[in-house]
Amino acid sequence: MFLLHFDGLILAVSFSSFFLFMVGHILALRMTPVNQTARVMVGAIALGFLINISAFIFIALAGFSKAGIRIPQLIFGAGISSVLYALLVFNYVGWIFGMGIAAIRIRLLLLLMNTPAHRATREQILTQCNAGDILRIRLARLVGSGHLILDGDSYRFHSKVLTVQAWITAGLSALLGIPLKR
Amino acid sequence: MNYIAEAFGFFVLVVLSHALACRRGWILFQMEWFLALCLVWGGLYFALLRLAPVPLICSGSSNFGRSMPLVFTSFVLYGLLCLAYLVQCTAIQVQSPSMKVVSLLRGGPGMTRDQLRRHFSDEEFVLSRLRDLVRTGYVNHDSEFFSLTPKGFQVARVFDAYQRLIRRNMES
């Protein structure tokens, strides 16, 4: 009965798509090498969108009109369900997978956890986690995900996504009246 | 449709009130204060739905909005938008290495790793984060050693388990 409720249907489809995205990307990440991470994530996200839209097409074909739901409503529902799915993925990537600004902090916590007695001096920490290291890893990730191009030994910027991200950050900084740290 | 528009409307109110609070210096990025702000506006939204179950915003069409009472969907949408906004806010709070690389390379002819390295310091990317972990109670610091607190150990174990699950070291 719950699924016949349109509100519940939208939530069920978006959360099911997200669940399948979770299962799909975890399985794919476990089976692929590290340098395929960006490709796996993009593929899993696209698969989730396809599942989301397919669910509504299936519902339309299955004669949901008998329950009083019309085609424009189904299209609208598919749109809202896709937005919810996109937000779920965005929050997952932002908070868990990418860890946002916490990435280095989590790395420091893991570093301390893996040292004897779970403690280390400042020098020991900097031996294993320093600015040069962080830069090397980030450059590899940015090149791997196609945001930068390595031309000889020179890195060049090549990303519409990160350009948009930079605009959003600049806009938000202006709105909140907080200067960006540069 | 109306419920969705209202959810977006209340999200805009969260953003505007957060901007006002930041500009006045009342709150900055304290997560608990931001979540309290979201709860206050969410509570008001809930109260308005209870008081006026018919959507507040007219759709213009006959009953397109009324025929789809998307109450739960609109609440979930509101919550997810607030969380997504908070993710964006964190980019202002602390400079991420990726965004620093982007800001250095954007619009320029390109830079080598050595040239980029001159803009990266241990102080900015490691030691300030370490001090922040001490300040927030995840790490202890005596005169010589940094060590994990029980809270820090728990968080580290959760992320360690997650990294094992996806077979990735997320920082490598």
Side-chain angles (χ1 to χ4, degrees), chain B residues 106-153:
Chain B
R106 235 176 82 198
M111 292 169 94
T112 64
R113 197 163 92 190
D114 289 340
Q115 287 170 327
L116 287 166
R117 176 67 180 87
R118 285 179 212 133
H119 298 271
F120 278 69
S121 68
D122 288 339
E123 171 55 39
E124 184 182 8
F125 287 104
V126 183
L127 299 175
S128 65
R129 259 87 163 172
L130 203 52
R131 279 197 297 275
D132 195 45
L133 287 170
V134 173
R135 187 179 57 77
T136 48
Y138 292 97
V139 169
N140 275 327
H141 182 214
D142 59 29
S143 55
E144 192 181 357
F145 288 100
F146 290 91
S147 58
L148 284 178
T149 62
K151 190 166 96 168
F153 196 75

Side-chain angles (χ1 to χ4, degrees), chain A residues 100-113:
Chain A
I101 56 160
I104 297 171
R105 282 167 243 210
I106 297 294
R107 185 176 170 194
L108 289 168
L109 291 178
L110 290 170
L111 188 155
L112 286 172
M113 191 178 83

Side-chain angles (χ1 to χ4, degrees), chain A residues 65-147:
Chain A
S65 56
K66 287 173 196 163
I69 302 293
R70 289 169 293 161
I71 293 297
Q73 290 175 325
L74 274 177
I75 294 170
F76 178 72
I80 292 297
S81 177
S82 298
V83 170
L84 285 184
Y85 166 73
L87 282 168
L88 284 166
V89 171
F90 179 83
N91 280 305
Y92 166 72
V93 172
W95 289 108
I96 311 288
F97 187 78
M99 296 178 290
I101 56 160
I104 297 171
R105 282 167 243 210
I106 297 294
R107 185 176 170 194
L108 289 168
L109 291 178
L110 290 170
L111 188 155
L112 286 172
M113 191 178 83
N114 293 322
T115 51
H118 311 307
R119 64 180 200 163
T121 63
R122 190 185 119 125
E123 287 65 35
Q124 286 170 334
I125 289 171
L126 286 176
T127 309
Q128 294 182 59
C129 177
N130 53 56
D133 230 11
I134 289 166
L135 176 64
R136 181 182 53 78
I137 291 164
R138 288 307 168 106
L139 286 173
R141 281 174 77 170
L142 289 167
V143 170
S145 51
H147 296 306

Side-chain angles (χ1 to χ4, degrees), chain A residues 7 29 92 105 137 155 174, chain B residues 23 73 111 132 162 168 171:
Chain A
D7 197 12
L29 286 176
Y92 166 72
R105 282 167 243 210
I137 291 164
Y155 291 90
Chain B
R23 284 178 168 271
T73 299
M111 292 169 94
D132 195 45
Y162 176 68
R168 291 284 191 286
E171 262 297 290

